[in-house]
Amino acid sequence: ASTRTALEEINALIERGASSPDSLHVQRTARFRIAQMRRAAGDANAVGEFNLAAEELTSQASGTAPQTTAALANVLTARAEYAARDGNTTAAQQDSQRAYDLLQRVSQSKEAVVLDARMRALSLLGRNTEARALAVRLEAAGFRHPDHVRFLTDHPLGASEHE
């Protein structure tokens, strides 16, 4: 019941601020998280939802803040992970490379979310030495975002206590 109440409150807040940048960011983030949960549950429509999230975030990606760029890269790397699991190595490689290329726009950023997104893209591209160096740096800084921990569990780089 508390989850339902929280979701209803989030929905009401989104509706009240439908055109504010913060509201749009919450909507996009919610869509991405819902697609992740549906995909994990085996929902075939999740791929389409990932594509929608990527398109929405891409529309704001040019000249945006490092956090928005990292969010798009995370959508792309999540989609790449699913493509790889489904045996579609071409799509996995393309999304991973696209995420890496996108992150080049914010290559000077030291924000943990940007470094984490770059680590994921590098790992999925097979550039594990570079990815490991970023993972070690993030671990040393105490970065423990649940998605970061999950990625290192699924893609061991030898740099984390979570592997």
Side-chain angles (χ1 to χ4, degrees):
S2 63
T3 301
R4 185 179 312 274
T5 302
L7 290 173
E8 289 170 358
E9 185 174 344
I10 289 170
N11 188 50
L13 289 169
I14 288 172
E15 287 180 11
R16 280 198 303 264
S19 62
S20 77
D22 287 341
S23 177
L24 293 173
H25 178 73
V26 168
Q27 289 175 13
R28 290 178 181 118
T29 301
R31 257 189 224 108
F32 174 65
R33 294 299 183 191
I34 289 168
Q36 276 186 312
M37 289 186 285
R38 287 184 176 155
R39 179 68 191 236
D43 184 341
N45 294 326
V47 172
E49 291 170 18
F50 270 114
N51 291 336
L52 178 60
E55 288 170 22
E56 287 176 340
L57 288 169
T58 302
S59 71
Q60 289 196 333
S62 59
T64 60
Q67 292 174 338
T68 304
T69 302
L72 174 57
N74 285 334
V75 169
L76 292 169
T77 57
R79 194 167 66 176
E81 283 185 90
Y82 286 124
R85 286 185 199 142
D86 292 344
N88 189 345
T89 56
T90 300
Q93 192 74 12
Q94 288 172 340
D95 278 342
S96 299
Q97 187 63 53
R98 186 170 168 216
Y100 180 78
D101 293 344
L102 183 67
L103 289 163
Q104 290 301 97
R105 297 179 189 173
V106 292
S107 63
Q108 299 304 310
S109 176
K110 305 294 184 221
E111 291 187 46
V113 294
V114 174
L115 298 176
D116 178 50
R118 185 173 293 118
M119 178 207 69
R120 293 175 198 214
L122 287 166
S123 174
L124 293 169
L125 288 169
R127 295 169 59 178
N128 290 334
T129 302
E130 295 167 89
R132 185 177 306 106
L134 289 172
V136 166
R137 183 173 169 187
L138 288 164
E139 290 287 312
F143 187 68
R144 299 288 187 273
H145 189 281
D147 289 337
H148 171 77
V149 172
R150 191 237 8 114
F151 187 88
L152 290 177
T153 300
D154 291 351
H155 305 273
L157 294 170
S160 171
E161 63 188 58
H162 307 291
E163 299 173 12

